[in-house]
Amino acid sequence: MKLTKQNLDQRLDHLYDAIIVGGGAGGLSAAIYLQRYGLSCLVVEKGRGRSFWMQELRNYLGLPPETPGRDLLKHGQEHILALGADYLRGFVEEVRDEGDTFAVKVKVGRQSSIYPVFRSKYVIAASGIIDRLPHLDNMQNVYDYAGYNLHVCMICDGYEMMDQRCGLFVGSEGAINTAFVLNWFTPYITVFTHGQVEVGSEMRQKLRDHGYPLIETPIKQFLGHNHTMTGVELIDGSTVELDTGLVAMGSHYHNEYLKGIESLEWNGENLVTDNMCRTSHPRIFAVGDLKEGLNQVSIAVADGTLAATAIWRDIRRVSEPRRWEQNLIGAVP
Amino acid sequence: MKLTKQNLDQRLDHLYDAIIVGGGAGGLSAAIYLQRYGLSCLVVEKGRGRSFWMQELRNYLGLPPETPGRDLLKHGQEHILALGADYLRGFVEEVRDEGDTFAVKVKVGRQSSIYPVFRSKYVIAASGIIDRLPHLDNMQNVYDYAGYNLHVCMICDGYEMMDQRCGLFVGSEGAINTAFVLNWFTPYITVFTHGQVEVGSEMRQKLRDHGYPLIETPIKQFLGHNHTMTGVELIDGSTVELDTGLVAMGSHYHNEYLKGIESLEWNGENLVTDNMCRTSHPRIFAVGDLKEGLNQVSIAVADGTLAATAIWRDIRRVSEPRRWEQNLIGAVP
């Protein structure tokens, strides 16, 4: 059921089989499977994750290409609630390992916040990442285009940029190398550093060799209308016409709540997992963008399947087998 | 475009980037990704695979639980055709490795068949499995219930069998062990061998210890109406009431066309793959049920993503980088 400040105290004495941190594609898929395995779970979703911002989910089998990410999330919420999962809007502040159980502390409510602690046997870290965006004085100007034709994922949206004039917005010198993959889709690339990146002579030469302009003047604003970005105005008043853009400024990983668990193995900000999405802690799983690999909806959904199945196998193997008692009393044919 | 006997000769001189054998969940997802990477592919679908038979797709995020498998396939076909993929109804008879290319021989048409040969750089084996069903004189009686409440996948449909009287239909003694996992969902299990399995004394004792009747008399027919199976009538005229059933008789793997490729590593009938679904042959990938792992729609869809991405990376890395020629002539800012 949907938990709120009003009813969540009903669950404070419950030991969930799993608490899922994050209600994106990976977390919702895990919840579908856990509930269908007859296990109990709570999904804690902070809202506005990466899939929420997707305007069109163009590469997920079964949904029309123009389906917004938020529709996937809405259908998934209805699906898991119908299966009896619990769902709470809140922000997981800390996961504490108590030995056989986890204590998961959640901040609920932006105002007059409360901090309930829920308990579970397993934790699935499905809290994902959020892309960093160019920082302008007027961020609304960025949000007007991000997720429309100002993209954040080349694998998802390279196809939409095919042979178009594309701005590549970088947050580090290393990110400029994105240009040399993006050129599979379009060679008409202009790199923007927003005045915040030191670019060495070798990289400058590489860009010149490919014919990709490097613009280091800070951006004043994106130009366009109706969520269609048509170019960039720089602080010197000059403009650059563009048909599309790709932001490659790195991501923020929502994994702070796990930093107190000592035995976890990390690769940078990614959790290292086995082929069932189990981390180096036997009762913590990581799915979707938090683990290593492709950051794709289809991968997160499969990860949820794998993590839930591994948890079910664990719990099943330590459970007493169910006998058909009536037949044990009488004669069995 | 949709290829038919009438127009397929237009493609006989084309070198596809990939030919995908099988238009189920894995093959369609691979085609979506390949086309969106700007690569060309042909999907060859023989029809009536495992997902076609699913009456309700209860565990795939984003689709209503009651969505039939054939709707997923239909939407996927429309999706890949809109992206420019080729799609052909036919049966792949042979894949021959020609060194840099594959020659893929397809039987098209059940009557007056023709045998065109298509060529590609990569092959994705996505042809899956089909579940063996109890063999009765009147097979229509089996098809009336299979995929409704006579299930073939415990992971998919264990939830639907919760605490119900369940017939377990086995094709080997080993398959009887399915009962000791199925009892997670229900202990009211009756095992049917249809008179075709030798059951040893140890297994008989194990069944007795759990209270699960073993019925070795051959089945005459399933009882029920409107696709709801309500029990079994045996050839001796007796009947057994059931609420649901699980068929565990093994599967037929559609992989004969690969048997001429010597370097492929198999684990039984499954292809061994790496974490991008690449087999031991560097230009052959296997996705979905043909590879090791869970036979789930969500897994197949992710596999398609992985295989297509690995192929794109291969092809991109040996391609000339695209320069912005105009800027190479003049001065670049």
Side-chain angles (χ1 to χ4, degrees), chain B residues 109-150:
Chain B
R110 281 178 177 250
Q111 277 138 12
S112 323
S113 306
I114 60 170
Y115 295 85
V117 174
F118 299 92
R119 283 189 164 72
S120 65
K121 298 178 189 170
Y122 289 81
V123 162
I124 299 179
S127 40
I129 63 174
I130 195 80
D131 304 282
R132 294 208 179 84
L133 295 174
H135 193 80
L136 304 185
D137 286 341
N138 173 15
M139 283 306 290
Q140 188 51 50
N141 174 255
V142 181
Y143 298 136
D144 279 348
Y145 304 112
Y148 292 88
N149 71 331
L150 179 58

Side-chain angles (χ1 to χ4, degrees), chain A residues 180-298:
Chain A
F180 310 113
V181 180
L182 179 60
N183 63 5
W184 171 265
F185 298 102
T186 179
Y188 312 120
I189 299 168
T190 302
V191 176
F192 295 84
T193 65
H194 196 33
Q196 293 176 341
V197 178
E198 296 266 338
V199 183
S201 57
E202 204 170 321
M203 184 62 86
R204 287 177 191 279
Q205 186 59 47
K206 196 171 174 187
L207 287 170
R208 269 194 299 272
D209 289 346
H210 284 76
Y212 307 156
L214 173 67
I215 295 188
E216 297 176 86
T217 310
I219 296 160
K220 185 178 171 198
Q221 63 173 336
F222 289 97
L223 305 172
H225 52 275
N226 285 337
H227 301 299
T228 302
M229 189 265 293
T230 57
V232 162
E233 183 185 348
L234 304 174
I235 56 164
D236 63 11
S238 63
T239 61
V240 181
E241 280 183 42
L242 298 169
D243 306 309
T244 186
L246 178 67
V247 178
M249 301 184 67
S251 308
H252 176 75
Y253 286 71
H254 293 295
N255 56 18
E256 297 82 0
Y257 58 92
L258 291 171
K259 291 298 169 75
I261 309 276
E262 283 178 15
S263 61
L264 286 174
E265 187 184 343
W266 299 85
N267 182 356
E269 295 288 297
N270 284 118
L271 280 155
V272 176
T273 58
D274 69 9
N275 64 4
M276 294 299 281
C277 297
R278 195 190 300 260
T279 69
S280 53
H281 187 301
R283 292 182 294 112
I284 300 179
F285 289 74
V287 302
D289 299 353
L290 273 193
K291 68 173 236 307
E292 299 175 283
L294 294 179
N295 295 346
Q296 292 288 295
V297 167
S298 59

Side-chain angles (χ1 to χ4, degrees), chain A residues 18 23 60 65 75 115 134 151 157 178 201 236 243 260 301 324 331-332:
Chain A
Y60 184 65
H75 291 148
Y115 295 85
H151 301 288
D157 296 311
T178 307
S201 57
D236 63 11
D243 306 309
V301 172
W324 190 347
V332 172

Side-chain angles (χ1 to χ4, degrees), chain A residues 47-123:
Chain A
R48 298 177 164 265
R50 200 185 201 213
S51 40
F52 177 84
W53 292 100
M54 287 176 206
Q55 299 305 325
E56 294 177 330
L57 194 64
R58 296 197 156 273
N59 55 18
Y60 184 65
L61 180 68
L63 293 180
E66 64 278 7
T67 306
R70 61 186 176 279
D71 280 15
L72 181 81
L73 301 179
K74 184 169 157 284
H75 291 148
Q77 284 166 32
E78 291 164 3
H79 197 155
I80 69 165
L81 288 169
L83 287 167
D86 284 345
Y87 186 93
L88 172 66
R89 277 298 283 264
F91 183 83
V92 171
E93 296 220 320
E94 191 195 0
V95 170
R96 210 172 66 246
D97 187 356
E98 301 180 315
D100 289 334
T101 59
F102 292 107
V104 177
K105 182 179 162 195
V106 185
K107 175 180 175 178
V108 180
R110 281 175 176 253
Q111 278 139 15
S112 323
S113 306
I114 61 171
Y115 295 85
V117 175
F118 299 92
R119 283 188 165 74
S120 64
K121 299 177 189 169
Y122 289 82
V123 162

